[in-house]
Amino acid sequence: MECSCSLLDLTYCQIQTTSDYPDILKHENNLVTMKERLFKSYPDSEISWFHYIRLKNHQSKVYLGNSLPIRYWDFVGGPSPNEVWANRGANGIDGQISSFLGWVLSSRSQIHSYIGVFGDLTAFYDIQSFWIYHQYKEKFKKLNIQIWIINNQGGQIFQKLLRDPVFLNQHSLRFNKISEMFDITYYRFESPAQCDDSVLKTPGLKIIEVLPNMEQQMHFDREWSQV
Ligand SMILES: Cc1ncc(C[n+]2csc(CCOP(=O)(O)OP(=O)(O)O)c2C)c(N)n1
């Protein structure tokens, strides 16, 4: 059996004989146990936020913006939501919130809960997309729409891929004024423990800005890389 796994890759297993199955299952179980332990040890890390968001929203329709959100959503696993969408056409970080809001507005499904998860740079690229809220306020009010912005203060995918801070575009900006401008309900949390269930159940469009603990994320990554 050949098996490799890292934060950014899907687990890859090449099965040679059926006698490998018990080993593979044992290995997979160990990984799941390890992940659960790390979620508990580092509850405010970026990846633990995804664990939390995924657990809380298994009955929603989900849209994932670039770039770590797609990878982390995949990594954490857990109950499958009704549908997961993305707009990976040209792999751009532009137009992601527009795509999400357009998708919500055009949906004829019986499901009334939609979540979109975006990186901070991705969100900055598409700030003007919120103008549409005013055009369709009444429709948006009838739905439960959560726009999660994972503000890890830059394009952290490049920290993982290239390890050169120049690609990060690091910043210390926050999204509260944007919600003020567009008159959209806004929350900001530093830990899932601060996020009350009532926030997630409130109808209407909400921006939920998350400030993950990057030191915890570093510890999470370090321990996971030793598996
Ligand atoms: C229009 C466009 N410009 C630049 C890029 C290159 N790019 C890919 S990912 C990324 C950073 C994304 O940062 P963020 O949205 O904060 O997500 P994170 O990496 O932190 O998850 C950039 C600039 C792109 N894909 N599309």
Side-chain angles (χ1 to χ4, degrees):
M1 179 185 68
E2 209 182 283
C3 204
S4 68
C5 186
S6 82
L7 259 187
L8 296 175
D9 303 327
L10 286 176
T11 305
Y12 168 71
C13 290
Q14 190 180 30
I15 299 168
Q16 275 150 6
T17 69
T18 48
S19 61
D20 283 336
Y21 286 152
D23 279 352
I24 292 166
L25 290 176
K26 205 169 146 202
H27 181 66
E28 288 300 317
N29 277 341
N30 287 344
L31 292 181
V32 171
T33 310
M34 174 75 172
K35 280 184 196 176
E36 291 297 335
R37 187 181 71 68
L38 293 174
F39 293 143
K40 283 203 181 83
S41 303
Y42 305 113
D44 302 335
S45 63
E46 185 170 0
I47 207 151
S48 294
W49 266 107
F50 279 85
H51 180 57
Y52 172 81
I53 296 169
R54 189 160 173 171
L55 270 182
K56 291 285 174 185
N57 287 292
H58 62 277
Q59 286 176 333
S60 307
K61 288 175 92 169
V62 176
Y63 181 100
L64 300 173
N66 296 344
S67 53
L68 288 176
I70 288 181
R71 291 157 175 89
Y72 281 165
W73 185 276
D74 195 42
F75 174 85
V76 300
S80 292
N82 285 289
E83 281 175 27
V84 182
W85 287 69
N87 182 357
R88 300 283 282 172
N91 223 359
I93 63 170
D94 50 337
Q96 292 288 327
I97 297 177
S98 309
S99 298
F100 170 65
L101 293 176
W103 171 63
V104 170
L105 281 172
S106 64
S107 175
R108 301 276 172 271
S109 113
Q110 296 301 309
I111 295 164
H112 293 296
S113 176
Y114 297 84
I115 73 160
V117 193
F118 306 92
D120 46 289
L121 294 193
T122 302
F124 282 127
Y125 260 60
D126 204 17
I127 285 304
Q128 82 284 357
S129 60
F130 291 112
W131 74 269
I132 205 167
Y133 177 61
H134 291 274
Q135 310 277 329
Y136 292 96
K137 229 173 190 170
E138 290 313 310
K139 172 145 192 192
F140 279 126
K141 274 186 190 159
K142 291 185 196 136
L143 305 169
N144 177 351
I145 309 164
Q146 304 162 23
I147 295 196
W148 291 83
I149 300 178
I150 312 298
N151 189 354
N152 55 23
Q153 307 187 14
Q156 294 293 338
I157 182 110
F158 294 123
Q159 180 64 18
K160 290 180 185 298
L161 294 178
L162 304 172
R163 299 188 188 280
D164 181 341
V166 80
F167 293 102
L168 261 179
N169 288 306
Q170 200 153 17
H171 65 85
S172 53
L173 299 168
R174 302 286 181 266
F175 287 82
N176 49 318
K177 296 286 179 195
I178 284 150
S179 87
E180 213 174 279
M181 177 175 173
F182 292 101
D183 192 25
I184 296 172
T185 308
Y186 166 85
Y187 302 92
R188 180 160 73 212
F189 299 114
E190 293 183 18
S191 162
Q194 298 169 339
C195 186
D196 196 272
D197 267 6
S198 62
V199 167
L200 307 183
K201 288 185 181 140
T202 315
L205 177 63
K206 301 165 282 295
I207 296 177
I208 309 173
E209 179 174 11
V210 162
L211 300 178
N213 183 316
M214 298 311 280
E215 202 181 321
Q216 287 194 17
Q217 184 59 45
M218 196 185 69
H219 290 299
F220 192 117
D221 287 345
R222 192 171 294 156
E223 290 191 38
W224 181 253
S225 69
Q226 286 158 9
V227 173

